[in-house]
Amino acid sequence: MAITRLGGANAISGIIPVANGGTGASSFTKGKVLQTVSANKTDAFSTTSTSFVDVTGLSVSITPASSSNKIYIVATVYMSSEDPPNHLTLLRDSSRIQSFQDYADYGSSGAFGSSMSCSYLDSPSTTSATTYKLQILSNSGNNAKVNQRWDSGSADIGDSTITVMEIEA
């Protein structure tokens, strides 16, 4: 049986505490995902550049609601190269924020490639549109490829993705 008391000196107002370890909070907003933006690359990309170059199709733009919010980036890139290791870098606009290398076992032909996954929690401190993108380079001027084996012009090894999420601070 519930007892309800309206008004008076003993009236309940505000947040009601929760028994047995509850928080008593009326809402939880910190850490909430406010928006998600994603790009999925299904076609092939290759470069022989020994400097980092943008991977077309693996770029997303997000506009944070608050400058104190965080951006969580998750990416999976299928790469292969004639001369490992594979090199992948993550940029916010034109600034490198994280780099990765993959020393996967390529076997005697080196042709198979691998999946490189990365994640990063960024603090862009802005409410302006912000672009996150991935770049790769060739280790020695030989082919470095995304979404295909290095020894084949058509054999796909997977799709690549980048996803960014705004996290409320």
Side-chain angles (χ1 to χ4, degrees), residues 14-18 22-32 168-169:
I15 297 171
I16 301 172
V18 178
T23 65
S26 61
S27 67
F28 297 95
T29 56
K30 307 261 189 246
K32 177 179 170 184
E168 191 171 22

Side-chain angles (χ1 to χ4, degrees), residues 26-84:
S26 61
S27 67
F28 297 95
T29 56
K30 307 261 189 246
K32 177 179 170 184
V33 175
L34 299 178
Q35 61 176 318
T36 301
V37 182
S38 185
N40 185 44
K41 180 172 183 60
T42 59
D43 60 332
F45 176 87
S46 68
T47 185
T48 56
S49 174
T50 55
S51 298
F52 280 106
V53 295
D54 293 354
V55 178
T56 57
L58 286 179
S59 174
V60 293
S61 183
I62 191 167
T63 303
S66 168
S67 61
S68 61
N69 290 348
K70 308 283 186 198
I71 304 295
Y72 183 60
I73 306 106
V74 179
T76 299
V77 179
Y78 289 92
M79 292 184 66
S80 66
S81 65
E82 280 181 80
D83 189 19

Side-chain angles (χ1 to χ4, degrees), residues 54-130:
D54 293 354
V55 178
T56 57
L58 286 179
S59 174
V60 293
S61 183
I62 191 167
T63 303
S66 168
S67 61
S68 61
N69 290 348
K70 308 283 186 198
I71 304 295
Y72 183 60
I73 306 106
V74 179
T76 299
V77 179
Y78 289 92
M79 292 184 66
S80 66
S81 65
E82 280 181 80
D83 189 19
N86 290 324
H87 297 271
L88 176 69
T89 193
L90 172 65
L91 287 88
R92 177 194 335 110
D93 295 324
S94 61
S95 299
R96 182 187 67 81
I97 56 176
Q98 189 72 348
S99 288
F100 308 89
Q101 285 186 348
D102 172 23
Y103 287 92
D105 180 7
Y106 289 85
S108 61
S109 69
F112 299 107
S114 65
S115 166
M116 293 180 68
S117 295
C118 59
S119 61
Y120 188 80
L121 184 62
D122 190 32
S123 301
S125 301
T126 186
T127 56
S128 298
T130 304

